[in-house]
Amino acid sequence: MSRAMDATAKLLRQPQQALDVGQLRADFPILKQKIHGKPLVYLDNAATTQKPQSVIDMFRCYYSEMNANIHRGVHTLSQRATQNYEEARTKVQHFINADSFKEIIFVRGTTEAINLVAQSYGRPKLKVGDEIIITEMEHHSNIVPWQLLCGQTGATLKVIPINDSGELKLDDYKDLLNARTKIVSIAHVSNSLGTINPIKSIIDMAHAHDVPVLVDGAQGAPHLKVDVQDLDCDFYAFSGHKLFGPTGVGVLYGKEALLDAMPPYHGGGDMIKMVTFEKTLYNDLPYKFEAGTPHIAGVIALGTAIDYVSRVGLDSIVAHEHSLLSYATEAAREIPGLRLIGTASEKTSILSFVMEGIHPHDLGTILDHEGIAIRTGHHCAMPVMEHFGVPATARASIAMYNTLEDIDDLINGLKEAHKVLM
């Protein structure tokens, strides 16, 4: 063990005053099980996080005590469901420090949020010759919606390149910004590299050209404190299931003036005030963008997940995850033949790598037999794989309930895989 690893290990083995990981783990029932007879080591948190008991209990509570549709009924169950649904909206507002509840739109996830902005904000405005800026490190959900929009409008997609550490080349970004640029859409944190992008500077540079910015916060909101007013971003999107909440629900934040000027994305249900065969009068924000019966239980449970994360404290979560990532990075560098993919100076929670002569899928299978869950593949970020000249990587991703022992198990599993397969 290197000196740096030893120092980090000693630090992490000291009592955690701010973050009681043992108590956290007790809150997540799935972590108590065994896989192939071994204690589960869950390191696939970038794909989805596990759920605390309070979130699981909220589903039981909703369906056993308040199941009814919202915004429509005068009966008690409907009023109860509506109150809890709107309280969840307020929790999200405070969690990301939005100025108004009207700026919080519930959607199915980050992907739908980006598609909503592309189609509702972008499609009416863009034309042939306009440009959209994304980055080389985006996952497919922040590439394909813009490609669709380019196909519909004749706009052109421009891409900020990355260096071999997985950091954006900001001088190239500066050169890409011009009078033709109509929107910038960029990940807060790369899902395949863990790079934390300098979002505030990127937004400031875009705003100097009067260009709005969408931040894809799918990997940002669970691991970093988000303040949309401080960032001054125009849109921010994230998913509930990566934030210890349920699948099938997410959030689009948008500045009220922008959302107010945008046409509805879907038609029907809650997004109307009045309908005749001649015309429809659309609802006010935020309901204008929430057509049909939403994922009521999911929204309420997302509010419960935010309560949980807030109680734990994002500052403590960030510090804990950073320590684990530093420890894992140093340990991984000592494994023969292992190459880290993504070594940015500002990173969080993600350790991507390849091992010489061993396919990532084989690594994933061997680790699974040891009870260790990691992700292997292109992580829905094929351009990143192309940049680094690999078809896939193995990716271990950390959450607040992971421990130093989880990292030791991963490193030992990788060393064993190297012995078996080489």
Side-chain angles (χ1 to χ4, degrees):
M1 182 179 288
S2 70
R3 184 174 298 175
M5 284 174 57
D6 189 47
T8 306
K10 287 179 179 176
L11 174 66
L12 290 173
R13 286 190 172 111
Q14 292 173 352
Q16 293 280 339
Q17 294 183 353
L19 193 63
D20 185 343
V21 181
Q23 179 58 50
L24 287 180
R25 293 182 65 83
D27 292 337
F28 291 81
I30 201 169
L31 298 179
K32 299 171 185 173
Q33 68 178 294
K34 293 187 175 181
I35 301 293
H36 302 300
K38 308 286 180 60
L40 170 63
V41 175
Y42 187 77
L43 291 167
D44 193 17
N45 296 288
T48 195
T49 53
Q50 301 302 340
K51 319 308 173 195
Q53 188 64 54
S54 58
V55 170
I56 298 169
D57 289 345
M58 182 50 72
F59 274 95
R60 181 205 58 77
C61 176
Y62 172 76
Y63 286 112
S64 60
E65 299 179 17
M66 67 180 94
N67 181 42
N69 217 323
I70 57 171
H71 300 151
R72 296 172 177 83
V74 297
H75 58 82
T76 298
L77 290 186
S78 179
Q79 295 292 313
R80 190 178 294 165
T82 300
Q83 179 180 345
N84 280 270
Y85 184 91
E86 292 304 325
E87 284 178 356
R89 195 188 307 275
T90 304
K91 291 174 184 177
V92 174
Q93 176 197 344
H94 294 158
F95 185 67
I96 62 173
N97 194 32
D99 185 51
S100 166
F101 77 95
K102 297 178 182 177
E103 298 176 324
I104 306 301
I105 311 296
F106 288 121
V107 290
R108 290 180 296 172
T110 305
T111 299
E112 185 178 39
I114 296 172
N115 276 276
L116 191 162
V117 175
Q119 292 300 312
S120 182
Y121 175 83
R123 191 165 182 177
K125 290 180 178 293
L126 272 63
K127 61 184 185 304
V128 175
D130 288 339
E131 295 177 353
I132 301 163
I133 295 178
I134 60 172
T135 83
E136 192 179 4
M137 70 172 68
E138 302 305 323
H139 65 153
H140 299 164
S141 291
N142 200 25
I143 300 174
V144 180
W146 305 112
Q147 289 177 329
L148 289 169
L149 181 61
C150 287
Q152 293 160 345
T153 63
T156 304
L157 201 61
K158 298 292 183 179
V159 180
I160 310 169
I162 59 175
N163 62 26
D164 289 341
S165 295
E167 298 166 324
L168 292 176
K169 294 182 177 179
L170 292 180
D171 287 342
D172 291 79
Y173 171 54
K174 185 177 179 182
D175 291 341
L176 286 174
L177 284 166
N178 60 61
R180 295 184 297 277
T181 308
K182 299 306 176 189
I183 190 165
V184 173
S185 188
I186 184 168
H188 198 167
V189 173
S190 162
N191 78 317
S192 55
L193 304 172
T195 305
I196 302 173
N197 285 317
I199 291 298
K200 192 168 175 60
S201 296
I202 288 167
I203 292 168
D204 289 344
M205 292 167 70
H207 284 179
H209 292 261
D210 294 323
V211 175
V213 178
L214 183 153
V215 180
D216 176 348
Q219 301 294 339
H223 303 290
L224 302 170
K225 184 167 283 187
V226 176
D227 183 333
V228 293
Q229 293 191 73
D230 180 61
L231 288 174
D232 196 25
C233 57
D234 300 279
F235 302 100
Y236 195 98
F238 64 94
S239 296
H241 72 100
K242 297 182 192 294
L243 191 61
F244 311 99
T247 57
V249 64
V251 171
L252 171 67
Y253 157 82
K255 288 180 177 174
E256 185 174 349
L258 290 173
L259 292 173
D260 204 38
M262 289 160 52
Y265 176 52
H266 290 147
D270 235 11
M271 52 76 70
I272 59 93
K273 279 184 176 177
M274 182 273 291
V275 175
T276 68
F277 286 116
E278 288 72 36
K279 66 176 182 179
T280 294
L281 184 60
Y282 302 128
N283 209 338
D284 298 324
L285 289 175
Y287 314 109
K288 182 174 74 172
F289 293 103
E290 295 181 2
T293 298
H295 186 3
I296 303 169
V299 166
I300 295 171
L302 173 59
T304 304
I306 286 174
D307 287 341
Y308 185 87
V309 171
S310 300
R311 279 198 304 275
V312 175
L314 263 171
D315 288 340
S316 298
I317 293 171
V318 171
H320 175 69
E321 293 177 347
H322 180 73
S323 295
L324 287 182
L325 181 64
S326 297
Y327 179 73
T329 302
E330 290 299 317
R333 283 181 169 140
E334 295 186 356
I335 298 175
L338 187 145
R339 173 191 170 200
L340 293 173
I341 303 295
T343 54
S345 60
E346 297 293 330
K347 281 189 64 177
T348 184
S349 303
I350 289 173
L351 190 74
S352 274
F353 54 91
V354 293
M355 289 182 74
E356 185 178 358
I358 306 175
H359 195 282
H361 290 315
D362 294 333
L363 270 181
T365 301
I366 288 176
L367 291 176
D368 178 62
H369 282 282
E370 298 300 318
I372 303 166
I374 66 165
R375 179 55 57 93
T376 60
H378 54 63
H379 317 299
C380 296
M382 295 179 79
V384 175
M385 302 298 116
E386 185 176 355
H387 175 94
F388 288 96
V390 297
T393 71
R395 182 187 70 185
S397 50
I398 297 165
M400 59 177 161
Y401 41 62
N402 287 124
T403 64
L404 189 68
E405 288 72 25
D406 288 344
I407 304 302
D408 286 340
D409 287 342
L410 170 69
I411 297 300
N412 290 333
L414 292 174
K415 290 177 177 175
E416 189 62 28
H418 184 264
K419 288 180 186 175
V420 171
L421 297 175
M422 293 300 293

